[in-house]
Amino acid sequence: MLENISENSKALFLRDLMQSYVGQQGLGSMPKADLDALIIHLYLKYSGTKKVDVFALSETFKIKESRVKSLVETGWIKFSGKDEVEVWLDIIASLSRVSIELESLEKGQVRFKLENPAHFRYFQKQVRLLESTASYSPSSEQVVTQFDVFNKVINRVYLSVLTDSQAQANDAIKAIYKRIRNDIIGPERFEAYRTGDKQKSPLGQSISKAAELAGIASLVISVFGSNPVSAAAIKAIK
């Protein structure tokens, strides 16, 4: 286990472990479940792992994958110390790397897997504030939602959470939509949905609406290109 942590980081791992386990409340006062969560949290932190590999962690710590997921989420909530802005910068950076797939062309749905299962609760919070829905499978760790909802979540976070940190998210958001355009939909098929005969489909309408969102419109248009509707919308915003 420790071979995945650099020599310089091992001392930091032990320092944080002792500070949290002993320094805050005294030896033995932390519940065992929280101690387990703390150890996994610090392991992820100091091994430099961006993507949480639940299977690998279950092998390393000799516990079930379901237990790993629970401990990862508990550790994140109790010990990460990150505020919502920092979490969402992590989520958006993660979304620029992970595979986002089309779940259904007809319904305009997307499917993606978060690098950290603890992040879903933050995504779900924004979905609920939009009075929309997103499903999450604990076994596959995949999220399925309407592409329109996905876009609205990114836009809402950009405006209401990342108010003073938008510049830090701009490149990652562009990267998300560049991959959606080029790798997920494909340039030729994308044009059919953006301005062609499939423009009226759910996916086509979601593409158009993404370029009209008040916060991320200019970022989306820089990747998707503009059409008469989106061009007029961005002009009105300015």
Side-chain angles (χ1 to χ4, degrees):
M1 178 179 72
L2 291 178
E3 63 268 16
N4 294 322
I5 301 177
S6 69
E7 290 300 320
N8 291 336
S9 294
K10 286 176 182 176
L12 298 175
F13 178 100
L14 181 59
R15 180 203 66 189
D16 286 1
L17 177 62
M18 296 303 291
Q19 182 177 340
S20 295
Y21 181 57
V22 180
Q24 292 185 7
Q25 299 179 19
L27 184 67
S29 60
M30 180 180 289
K32 182 182 180 302
D34 285 359
L35 175 59
D36 292 347
L38 174 63
I39 290 172
I40 286 186
H41 175 75
L42 294 177
Y43 175 80
L44 290 172
K45 178 179 178 179
Y46 288 112
S47 64
T49 303
K50 290 183 178 179
K51 180 179 179 181
V52 177
D53 188 332
V54 173
F55 176 77
L57 288 171
S58 71
E59 292 285 296
T60 298
F61 290 97
K62 299 178 175 58
I63 56 176
K64 293 181 179 180
E65 291 182 41
S66 58
R67 178 67 174 152
V68 169
K69 293 173 187 177
S70 176
L71 291 174
V72 167
E73 183 168 6
T74 298
W76 182 269
I77 293 169
K78 293 192 173 184
F79 306 113
S80 72
K82 290 191 174 184
D83 60 26
E84 194 168 11
V85 172
E86 293 174 297
V87 172
W88 267 105
L89 287 172
D90 285 348
I91 292 173
I92 288 173
S94 172
L95 289 172
S96 71
R97 295 186 295 263
V98 300
S99 175
I100 302 174
E101 302 173 357
L102 286 169
E103 171 73 6
S104 170
L105 282 172
E106 293 75 18
K107 296 179 181 179
Q109 292 179 326
V110 292
R111 178 178 67 249
F112 57 93
K113 182 176 180 178
L114 294 169
E115 290 182 325
N116 188 332
H119 284 164
F120 178 68
R121 62 194 298 268
Y122 296 91
F123 188 87
Q124 179 76 321
K125 172 186 174 182
Q126 297 299 324
V127 170
R128 288 172 176 168
L129 288 171
L130 290 168
E131 298 183 352
S132 299
T133 59
S135 62
Y136 176 68
S137 170
S139 57
S140 66
E141 302 165 50
Q142 290 186 326
V143 182
V144 175
T145 190
Q146 296 293 122
F147 185 43
D148 193 43
V149 173
F150 177 87
N151 298 331
K152 287 179 179 178
V153 166
I154 300 298
N155 188 70
R156 191 180 192 286
V157 168
Y158 191 77
L159 289 174
S160 63
V161 179
L162 303 179
T163 309
D164 299 319
S165 304
Q166 293 176 350
Q168 294 175 250
N170 286 348
D171 287 344
I173 291 174
K174 288 180 183 178
I176 291 169
Y177 286 99
K178 187 176 292 184
R179 290 183 58 243
I180 289 172
R181 180 188 186 278
N182 296 334
D183 301 337
I184 300 164
I185 300 177
E188 292 185 6
R189 187 166 62 175
F190 176 81
E191 288 304 315
Y193 283 98
R194 186 177 75 93
T195 59
D197 58 348
K198 296 186 180 295
Q199 189 177 10
K200 300 296 184 182
S201 68
L203 179 59
Q205 291 182 42
S206 293
I207 289 172
S208 295
K209 289 177 182 177
E212 299 168 15
L213 293 168
I216 63 171
S218 62
L219 302 176
V220 173
I221 288 174
S222 71
V223 176
F224 282 4
S226 61
N227 55 42
V229 175
S230 61
I234 194 66
K235 184 177 180 180
I237 292 170
K238 292 181 177 180

